[in-house]
Amino acid sequence: YVDLMRDRISQHWLTADVRATPTQKCAVSFTIGRSGSITNVQVSQTSGNYLLDTSAKRAVLDTNPLPALPREFTQNEATVELWFQVHQ
């Protein structure tokens, strides 16, 4: 599920207009509900680069919803923090 989540979000991450140095990275945290709905999306660690932070947050928002959480995951929701860094 983690690989699927990462792949889906990376497909929605548009970086063409992001001018970031290789050392700049940001973290976005969010909650995935049992049904796969994404809520509470926020930049939890800023890169100091508004375009990088905004594009990363937008990637998560645009991925909503994800597939439902796996049956073997016993909680009703999962809190996730993903790091974003542009590789040039």
Side-chain angles (χ1 to χ4, degrees):
Y1 188 88
V2 172
D3 289 338
L4 173 72
M5 174 194 63
R6 265 198 310 251
D7 289 346
R8 293 265 176 102
I9 292 171
S10 68
Q11 289 170 6
H12 286 94
W13 190 27
L14 306 176
T15 60
D17 295 332
V18 177
R19 302 285 176 253
T21 66
T23 59
Q24 288 179 310
K25 60 184 179 180
C26 72
V28 175
S29 64
F30 54 96
T31 303
I32 305 170
R34 165 80 31 219
S35 67
S37 63
I38 297 173
T39 58
N40 304 322
V41 180
Q42 56 190 350
V43 175
S44 52
Q45 293 285 325
T46 183
S47 66
N49 181 321
Y50 175 80
L51 291 177
L52 175 57
D53 294 354
T54 303
S55 70
K57 183 177 178 181
R58 172 61 44 204
V60 175
L61 290 168
D62 288 350
T63 303
N64 195 20
L66 285 164
L69 290 171
R71 198 173 319 139
E72 52 276 357
F73 186 79
T74 58
Q75 305 297 315
N76 286 328
E77 62 184 29
T79 301
V80 177
E81 183 175 65
L82 286 181
W83 285 89
F84 292 78
Q85 184 174 18
V86 177
H87 294 284
Q88 303 183 1

